[in-house]
Amino acid sequence: MSGPISTSTSTPHVSGAAAGRVPVLLPYPFGEPFDYSVPAGLALAVGDYVRVPLGPRETVGVVWDAPQSRDSRIESKRLKAVAGRFDAPPMPAATRRFIEWVAAYVVAPTGAVLRMALSSTGGLEPPRASVAFRLGSVPPSLKRSHARERVLAIAADGLARSASEFADLAGCGLAVVRGLADAGALVAVSVPPRMPAADIDGAYPGPALAEDQQVAADALVAQVGSGFSVTLLDGVTGSGKTEVYFELVAAALRAGKQALVLLPEIALSAQFLQRFERRFGTRPALWHSDVSSTQRRLVWRGVAEGTTKVVVGARSALFLPFPELGAIIVDEEHESAFKQEDGVIYHARDMAIVRASIEQVPIALVSATPSLESIVNVEIGRFTKLDLPSRHAGASKPAIELVDLRKEPPPRNRFLSKTVIDAISETLARGEQAMLFLNRRGYAPLTLCRACGHRLRCPNCTAWLVEHRFHRTLLCHHCGHAERQPETCENCGTADSFAAVGPGIERIAEEAGALWPEARTILLASDTVGAGMGAGPAALDEAIRKVQAHEIDLVIGTQIVAKGHHFPMLTLVGVVDADLGLAGGDLRASERTYQLLHQVAGRAGRAERPGRVLVQTWMPEHRVMQALVSDRRDAFLRVEAEERQVARMPPYSRLAALIVSGADQAQVDQIARDLAKAAPRSDTVQVLGPAPAPLALLRGRHRRRLLLKARKDVPVQPLLRAWVDAVEIPSSIRVQIDVDPYSFL
Ligand code: ADP
Ligand code: ZN
């Protein structure tokens, strides 16, 4: 860590236990702060970011207000000293309470949660001023070119602009601007950096809302400034939920507060930003894994200073140090992507509710297919529900039909039924767009030897290797292991004997290419955006733009195309394998399949032209399929709820999982058995397992699961802590605690 450290004494001092020492929480897996001594002349306040020694290194920490630190018995003079204080606004008390609360709930060390809040330490330094240019005195001898004239005409208003701003406005190169500066016609001035989303205006006029939108928006707006509340905004796809929650953002801004909008990572598209910009006249600050470190530093700083007013981000944005939070929105609240599955395991929607409660602000959960958890919370009166029952501007809901694959099975090694093929042909003939949806990347999920039946599997995981023909590799979707397809079978030695089994979207694209050779087709998955367009958010944004601009006739994609996009000319959606998500023993398999298929179906017919959705299934009688065709979501959820209630499963009980993993199978089994013996047992708590996790081998580690199931009113955290503490865990074994598990892998 380097950089300017303020040693000024301007901050009024408040400090920990005794004078001359402070407890400092470090972003490492420690449960409590350590004490440090405070050198003379350095005044520290609770929440201050400081630089402290830790072993041979220096680290950032936060002055904490713990009642008791682990070092309280160490004499002050034997403590290490704080090395300096960062010139940054202190971490607000509500943020600190939130960090502690999350740590306690997910049974993680407080320091590990702090680490998520300190993911961009660059923001601790005051941002540097940047160089801008304004009109100087133009020397009479200046050589005049068209480009130079344009720049000078723009500069005539006397405002300072960056070189690239001038270049953009004048449509010239940076060299032109630099040339003018060298000649003295422009002079360099130093300007403070512009913080992202600093001047968003809550009074900026929005669109006229439809009547039911207005009712919902008014109800949300009324919550601002009235403390904590949770509202479920439940509206069909295309009903205009986004415009409604933008009103909540606007109301928070008008109250002088900041707002946070959480989205699943893949929904953070250019399209969303454009909509935001249309509503507010400027862009929000962005926070997700692909944001550059320079930008993150600015956003973090802007948020901490209270100048950045609106952050739109993925789940980690929840840990930003907002001093003036006024409202939180969680869009697509049912999405399992809000559950972070590694490191600190937490559910961002649930923790967002906690944050709203600590900050005493309203939170809106938004979805067309709310989670059962949220629906139940509405029923028991904990959440308020607002409905948007119809599509905006009278667009009709798409008609959903099931295609019974038992009645019309596609030919061998083909995957599209005649019904789907005919419908796509008709759609394309009308000059409209079609989409084929299959939630599986690659070419084929399984490769086997025709001679001996040998299947190609990942050496590190309990998983088949997925063929990716486009990249010419076999890939493990769990650990990323990649290999070339072998020429001979390693089991029987037969050459060229491998056969692809089942479809991934690449294989559907191959089938579509043969059926509609003239159609402009694009493949969209997280790892493949079009052919040769590369991957990543920019490529995806470009692909989405092409689809919107009707430069594409047929879209073939995974769940990446299911979310939020608005394609006015898309009138037909074909679901290749609707049963895909129903396999396996996942508690929420039906619920999730319904949500995903409903979402995909919602892509069809979002404008004037009516949409049609064809769902291929081997199980047309399954209640998920029946709920989809009859559009009876609430009846479906009621049955789902009853089943969970009978089985005493969430949301009618609590679950927590322990996952024991290690390289040595015998040792993993031993520890899992020891944990089973030490398991808490009572008439309100039950422990199941150990059982091999479905991915019994993952990244070369053997895995066993134990599942704790408790009555809803039992606080499970103390039980979990005591349980894990009761068994000595060798350092070669990892025990992960997952409170409220979502993934049963
Ligand atoms: P949802 O999020 O509920 O699926 P959207 O918010 O995406 O629905 O709205 C669907 C479409 O209708 C979008 O193109 C949106 O811009 C448009 N829209 C929604 N409300 C309005 C409004 N009040 N005025 C103009 N356009 C609107
Ligand atoms: Zn693997």
Side-chain angles (χ1 to χ4, degrees), residues 140-347:
S141 62
L142 185 74
K143 270 215 249 124
R144 302 256 175 172
S145 67
H146 286 300
R148 284 186 164 185
E149 292 294 353
R150 283 199 301 278
V151 172
L152 290 175
I154 292 161
D157 61 9
L159 296 180
R161 294 178 178 84
S162 71
S164 58
E165 248 174 303
F166 271 118
D168 282 350
L169 289 170
C172 65
L174 288 171
V176 178
V177 182
R178 251 181 263 125
L180 286 169
D182 291 344
L186 293 177
V187 289
V189 289
S190 157
V191 288
R194 218 188 297 152
M195 295 320 242
D199 35 35
I200 300 187
D201 180 3
Y204 194 86
L209 296 181
E211 200 179 311
D212 51 359
Q213 282 182 315
Q214 192 66 56
V215 171
D218 289 347
L220 284 176
V221 167
Q223 308 285 341
V224 174
S226 314
F228 170 60
S229 60
V230 190
T231 307
L232 176 64
L233 179 58
D234 176 4
V236 299
T237 50
S239 59
K241 297 185 288 296
T242 316
E243 303 300 336
V244 170
Y245 73 66
F246 279 168
E247 295 311 305
L248 176 57
V249 172
L253 292 172
R254 289 194 298 271
K257 304 281 187 177
Q258 298 167 293
L260 168 64
V261 179
L262 292 181
L263 286 169
E265 186 114 3
I266 60 173
L268 283 162
S269 59
Q271 212 180 2
F272 181 88
L273 295 183
Q274 282 156 14
R275 284 187 67 175
F276 189 97
E277 190 163 2
R278 234 179 292 140
R279 171 61 186 83
F280 291 101
T282 176
R283 299 211 155 193
L286 266 183
W287 188 269
H288 58 79
S289 57
D290 274 312
V291 172
S292 72
S293 62
T294 315
Q295 195 57 24
R296 285 168 86 84
R297 185 184 316 164
L298 277 181
V299 172
W300 191 95
R301 184 81 192 188
V303 167
E305 288 176 348
T307 41
T308 292
K309 294 299 183 190
V310 183
V311 176
V312 172
R315 58 192 179 214
S316 56
L318 194 52
F319 293 91
L320 288 168
F322 295 94
E324 289 286 353
L325 197 56
I328 304 179
I329 290 123
V330 182
D331 198 356
E332 311 285 4
E333 67 92 21
H334 61 279
E335 267 297 324
S336 47
F338 283 122
K339 183 75 193 282
Q340 171 151 311
E341 297 286 1
D342 45 31
V344 175
I345 301 177
Y346 68 95
H347 199 301

Side-chain angles (χ1 to χ4, degrees), residues 316-441:
S316 56
L318 194 52
F319 293 91
L320 288 168
F322 295 94
E324 289 286 353
L325 197 56
I328 304 179
I329 290 123
V330 182
D331 198 356
E332 311 285 4
E333 67 92 21
H334 61 279
E335 267 297 324
S336 47
F338 283 122
K339 183 75 193 282
Q340 171 151 311
E341 297 286 1
D342 45 31
V344 175
I345 301 177
Y346 68 95
H347 199 301
R349 176 202 56 212
D350 297 348
M351 295 306 112
I353 296 169
V354 171
R355 177 135 201 192
S357 132
I358 291 173
E359 305 271 356
Q360 285 295 301
V361 299
I363 177 167
L365 309 181
V366 183
S367 177
T369 52
S371 61
L372 192 58
E373 278 78 5
S374 293
I375 295 285
V376 168
N377 276 319
V378 169
E379 276 165 11
I380 62 177
R382 199 176 290 166
F383 298 178
T384 311
K385 185 152 97 94
L386 296 171
D387 293 295
L388 291 176
S390 52
R391 283 193 158 185
H392 181 72
S396 54
K397 281 195 193 179
I400 302 181
E401 300 155 47
L402 299 179
V403 177
D404 186 346
L405 290 174
R406 292 170 310 193
K407 293 200 184 122
E408 42 169 320
R412 207 178 130 74
N413 285 336
R414 307 266 191 78
F415 305 93
L416 301 180
S417 61
K418 181 165 183 310
T419 305
V420 166
I421 292 171
D422 291 348
I424 292 182
S425 298
E426 286 160 23
T427 305
L428 298 179
R430 278 198 306 272
E432 295 170 358
Q433 290 171 303
M435 175 188 284
L436 282 169
F437 171 78
L438 176 64
N439 204 14
R440 198 192 264 140
R441 295 182 284 132

Side-chain angles (χ1 to χ4, degrees), residues 457-465 475-482 695 697-700:
R457 57 163 74 229
C458 176
N460 314 317
C461 306
T462 319
W464 309 126
L465 289 174
L475 207 65
C476 171
H477 283 186
H478 297 286
C479 73
H481 170 85
L695 272 166
L697 185 66
L698 179 66
R699 298 185 184 96

Side-chain angles (χ1 to χ4, degrees), residues 11-23:
T11 324
H13 113 276
V14 189
S15 77
R21 58 196 287 162
V22 282

